[in-house]
Amino acid sequence: MSEQRSLLIRAVWFLLVGWWVTGIWLSVAWFLNVTIIGLPFGIKMINRVPLVLTLKRRDRLVTESDGGSQHSLLVRAVWFVFVGWWASGVWTGVAYALSLTIVGLPLAIWMYNRLPFVVSLYQY
């Protein structure tokens, strides 16, 4: 896996491209999630939001666990049908609005990192 890009490169990307491409990216991802057929691709897009916004790669941290931390697929599906689809829309809107401000950017990135959990209770 390659290293993170420099902070300068990431800042320039955000200012010139990341802030507006992320809005389009999130809109397409949310639409795909609601269509059910596009759900797998929409989830993959959501998982890549930090990369699209600031070129930040997710850290691949592997830890041992007892296997009980992830919710079952049935629980996650019920969550998505009743809560996840609309809550992720609200969460995404707030995070995007925060990402347009310098002060709110750290909170927006934190929210983007938690977006897979809001959509489907998926935990990294």
Side-chain angles (χ1 to χ4, degrees):
M1 181 176 215
S2 64
E3 295 179 18
Q4 291 283 9
R5 290 175 177 89
S6 73
L7 184 59
L8 178 63
I9 297 293
R10 291 175 50 208
V12 169
W13 170 267
F14 171 77
L15 291 172
L16 298 178
V17 180
W19 70 269
W20 62 268
V21 169
T22 300
I24 296 167
W25 185 268
L26 287 168
S27 298
V28 170
W30 193 80
F31 175 76
L32 288 171
N33 285 345
V34 174
T35 65
I36 303 299
I37 292 172
L39 185 62
F41 191 62
I43 294 293
K44 287 185 185 291
M45 288 179 72
I46 283 174
N47 290 336
R48 288 181 173 66
V49 168
L51 181 65
V52 174
L53 181 66
T54 65
L55 298 178
K56 182 176 184 334
R57 298 186 189 282
R58 284 193 186 270
D59 296 327
R60 298 250 180 207
L61 179 63
V62 179
T63 58
E64 289 188 32
S65 70
D66 59 3
S69 63
Q70 201 69 264
H71 295 283
S72 73
L73 187 57
L74 178 62
V75 169
R76 290 175 52 210
V78 169
W79 171 268
F80 175 78
V81 169
F82 291 107
V83 179
W85 71 271
W86 63 264
S88 66
V90 172
W91 188 268
T92 298
V94 171
Y96 185 68
L98 287 170
S99 72
L100 297 178
T101 68
I102 298 298
V103 175
L105 188 57
L107 181 57
I109 292 171
W110 177 86
M111 290 177 73
Y112 288 140
N113 284 327
R114 299 321 179 263
L115 190 54
F117 184 78
V118 174
V119 172
S120 66
L121 298 178
Y122 182 79
Q123 298 178 17
Y124 271 98

